[in-house]
Amino acid sequence: MTRNANFAVVAAILSMICVQGGASFAKQLFPAIGPIATTTLRIGLSAILLYIINRPKLLTFSGKQWLYCALYGVGIAVMNLVFYMAIQRIPLGLGVTIEFVGPLFLAFALSKKWTDIIWAALALTGILLIVPWKSNGVDPVGLGLALLAGSFWAVYIMMGAKLSKIMEGKQAVTTGMLIATLFIIPFSIYDGAILNLNFSLFSKGLLVAILSSALPFSLDMIALGKLPAKTFSILTSLQPAFAALSGLIFLHEYLSIYQWLSVFCVVIASIGTTIFSKRAEPKSKPLKINQQN
């Protein structure tokens, strides 16, 4: 592996650490302002940072571009809000594992290879290991919310793919985040917890925004420019494991052996699907997919 490729792998790993670290810090805000206000802070501040960096040419967009950006932005807002509501109830590692099933099963649905049945079965096994068949302390509502967030993640990916065909990725992501902010603000005002903000909470919200969007966006652009799409996808498959480790380190969330096994099953299923996929593009620059947590 060349020096540039090594640097790109490090960038991709650092991106995942930032994303999951950002989710851990976001969860620490829940007792003070709740998931709705936290989502508003994270999305709103991220949108401002991305706007300053990318300067989208909003006045030049066509009607179709605005429509797609609107659907994309609403998807970002709902996906993040539902995910934060989920990890308020369940450990971060489990939340990301269940959410990851959304894009994973999207890949299965779009594939025509019978071998993907194996990976689908492995992912399903991972889910079944988390489901609280008995009273094991895992909140079923939290699991359901994480699964719903995963469904919105799959929709978000499909919309992102459509959007990337009609406008530049950075322009689309920035505009989508601005629309997501406008969408989430009324919910935040109705919730009222945003009024409890002080300088300390705002500073933590800014840290969440930087870790969850600004830094990983930049790092992923580096990685995507130097790595094959398949290699980048394999690295991204490690997100549930990084989430579990982040929850353990920053939130002291301890998973049972079955829950760790569940994370392992989903990660292996995702890696397997990626490796054995017939589509192997040498380079790819898809829209940012780390907006989920």
Side-chain angles (χ1 to χ4, degrees):
M1 188 176 285
T2 66
R3 184 175 181 179
N4 283 342
N6 281 328
F7 180 72
V9 169
V10 171
I13 292 174
L14 285 176
S15 172
M16 288 185 284
I17 292 173
C18 286
V19 168
Q20 302 309 333
S24 295
F25 290 126
K27 189 166 182 176
Q28 293 176 31
L29 291 172
F30 292 171
I33 59 176
I36 297 178
T38 302
T39 305
T40 305
L41 266 183
R42 182 265 162 124
I43 291 178
L45 293 175
S46 295
I48 293 171
L49 290 171
L50 289 173
Y51 182 83
I52 292 172
I53 294 171
N54 297 325
R55 297 287 183 177
K57 301 175 182 177
L58 302 178
L59 297 179
T60 66
F61 293 174
S62 68
K64 184 178 182 180
Q65 288 174 326
W66 272 115
L67 175 62
Y68 279 27
C69 281
L71 294 173
Y72 181 68
V74 171
I76 290 174
V78 176
M79 175 178 62
N80 280 275
L81 176 57
V82 174
F83 176 75
Y84 277 1
M85 292 172 68
I87 63 172
Q88 184 182 32
R89 294 171 172 268
I90 61 176
L92 175 61
L94 298 189
V96 174
T97 299
I98 292 294
E99 187 196 27
F100 209 76
V101 169
L104 183 56
F105 273 94
L106 174 64
F108 295 148
L110 296 176
S111 174
K112 296 181 180 179
K113 295 187 65 178
W114 69 267
T115 51
D116 278 337
I117 296 174
I118 299 173
W119 307 117
L122 187 59
L124 181 60
T125 300
I127 297 172
L128 294 178
L129 287 170
I130 294 179
V131 173
W133 304 107
K134 297 180 180 179
S135 180
N136 59 359
V138 178
D139 189 324
V141 175
L143 292 179
L145 288 170
L147 192 59
L148 181 61
S151 300
F152 277 103
W153 191 2
V155 173
Y156 159 83
I157 290 173
M158 291 189 291
M159 282 306 306
K162 290 180 179 293
L163 196 53
S164 65
K165 295 177 181 178
I166 61 173
M167 61 191 303
E168 183 187 2
K170 290 182 180 180
Q171 299 270 322
V173 171
T174 304
T175 307
M177 290 295 283
L178 290 171
I179 292 173
T181 302
L182 295 176
F183 179 84
I184 198 68
I185 283 176
F187 294 93
S188 185
I189 294 173
Y190 178 80
D191 176 63
I194 194 79
L195 300 176
N196 297 327
L197 269 183
N198 54 37
F199 180 77
S200 175
L201 293 173
F202 180 84
S203 299
K204 290 179 181 178
L206 180 59
L207 177 63
V208 170
I210 292 171
L211 288 176
S212 298
S213 294
L215 268 179
F217 181 84
S218 302
L219 290 167
D220 278 355
M221 287 298 105
I222 294 172
L224 286 164
K226 300 180 184 299
L227 289 176
K230 181 170 286 189
T231 303
F232 181 80
S233 297
I234 291 172
L235 290 170
T236 302
S237 299
L238 300 175
Q239 287 278 14
F242 276 99
L245 289 172
S246 180
L248 177 64
I249 295 170
F250 296 111
L251 301 171
H252 307 293
E253 294 178 340
Y254 297 92
L255 303 185
S256 69
I257 184 66
Y258 290 109
Q259 291 167 349
W260 275 108
L261 186 58
S262 172
V263 173
F264 179 77
C265 286
V266 172
V267 168
I268 294 301
S270 182
I271 292 175
T273 303
T274 303
I275 291 177
F276 291 95
S277 170
K278 284 184 177 179
R279 285 187 270 181
E281 302 172 13
K283 298 271 181 156
S284 176
K285 290 192 177 184
L287 289 179
K288 182 79 169 71
I289 64 169
N290 276 335
Q291 304 293 346
Q292 80 284 8
N293 43 38

